[in-house]
Amino acid sequence: DVVKIRRGGADTTTVAIEESSANAAKRNDASFTNEQSNHSNNQNILSLTIETSPPIIIRIAVLKKECPKAYEFLSFMVDNQQAECRPCTIYRGEPVPSYWGSEDYPDRYFDGGRWGPPYALVQGGLVNSRFNKVEQDNHRPKILKRGMVAWAGGNSIHFFIALADHPEWGDVHTAWGEVLTDDMPLVDALVKERPLKVLEHNNPVLTYFVEPMHFHLEWKGG
């Protein structure tokens, strides 16, 4: 979703959502990578179920061949989630601002740049008692496309779903999966329909969900 933002130093504030999730999905899906069509194997579709009422089910095509280390960690989380994934939450929601990528703004992602804030992503954590980091696979696209799922940075067990294309980061992030096209409107709706809080005094300014959402994982068919 595209969001109007009033810009002025630290007073970055979300004020209105302009575009429906369905329209945003149609507009951006043209740039969505075709890799997910190659992942029809049932074991490669990860179902992330957000425990709301009703539940929200987001299917992710995991790039098992390109990211075997991520696949191994995700399999551990699926197999042991009753004990290990209770703290797993979706906690950060960064809408797509109306000026995203506009040449009318400086080419940076801070201090009034064209790449946020907010930062066009939804983020969660695979918090568990055994691992606080994940060994990284060597699958780092030069541009993270809308719908890609990537580790948040370093060897982090936190991940994010891109709500728009991200050329500003380069090949920093390991992308281990892609949300199925049909499910991206559900991800868009999270930042449209759920209350957000902007931490204006942070550097950088960050946007979180007022209430984090717990989720669980399982392997599903595509």
Side-chain angles (χ1 to χ4, degrees):
D1 291 342
V2 175
V3 177
K4 283 186 177 180
I5 300 292
R6 183 179 74 244
R7 310 199 77 154
D11 296 327
T12 302
T13 307
T14 304
V15 292
I17 292 180
E18 291 186 321
E19 186 175 6
S20 71
S21 298
N23 287 342
K26 291 178 182 177
R27 174 173 53 79
N28 286 290
D29 282 341
S31 65
F32 191 74
T33 175
N34 292 324
E35 278 187 308
Q36 63 176 308
S37 63
N38 298 323
H39 297 278
S40 58
N41 186 310
N42 290 357
Q43 288 189 330
N44 291 349
I45 302 297
L46 183 68
S47 176
L48 186 156
T49 301
I50 301 175
E51 297 169 0
T52 53
S53 182
I56 300 169
I57 301 174
I58 299 168
R59 294 167 298 167
I60 301 170
V62 177
L63 307 178
K64 180 180 179 181
K65 181 179 178 180
E66 297 87 344
C67 298
K69 297 168 186 175
Y71 181 84
E72 182 179 2
F73 173 71
L74 293 167
S75 295
F76 165 80
M77 294 302 295
V78 170
D79 293 342
N80 297 278
Q81 63 185 312
Q82 292 298 322
E84 296 293 348
C85 205
R86 292 180 183 177
C88 294
T89 60
I90 301 292
Y91 56 83
R92 184 178 171 197
E94 302 267 2
V96 184
S98 57
Y99 51 82
W100 186 262
S102 170
E103 294 184 359
D104 294 336
Y105 295 85
D107 187 11
R108 56 178 180 248
Y109 51 87
F110 58 92
D111 195 21
R114 70 182 69 165
W115 307 114
Y119 295 111
L121 58 86
V122 167
Q123 185 166 315
L126 292 164
V127 179
N128 65 91
S129 65
R130 300 244 339 243
F131 304 99
N132 59 12
K133 61 183 180 179
V134 179
E135 190 176 354
Q136 299 291 289
D137 297 285
N138 188 26
H139 185 253
R140 300 181 179 90
K142 291 183 178 179
I143 298 178
L144 277 173
K145 297 288 188 177
R146 167 179 160 82
M148 284 186 171
V149 189
W151 296 124
N155 293 328
S156 176
I157 56 174
H158 297 262
F159 65 92
F160 65 88
I161 300 171
L163 300 182
D165 291 355
H166 283 272
E168 75 276 19
W169 290 328
D171 60 355
V172 172
H173 295 283
T174 298
W176 52 263
E178 297 172 320
V179 174
L180 300 192
T181 303
D182 289 347
D183 293 353
M184 274 306 293
L186 299 175
V187 185
D188 294 325
L190 294 176
V191 295
K192 174 185 176 183
E193 299 173 359
R194 298 189 175 274
L196 302 171
K197 57 183 178 182
V198 181
L199 304 184
E200 298 177 352
H201 300 295
N202 268 44
N203 185 19
V205 174
L206 300 177
T207 306
Y208 286 82
F209 292 106
V210 172
E211 296 183 0
M213 295 163 282
H214 290 271
F215 65 85
H216 64 269
L217 304 170
E218 57 185 322
W219 296 114
K220 286 287 190 179

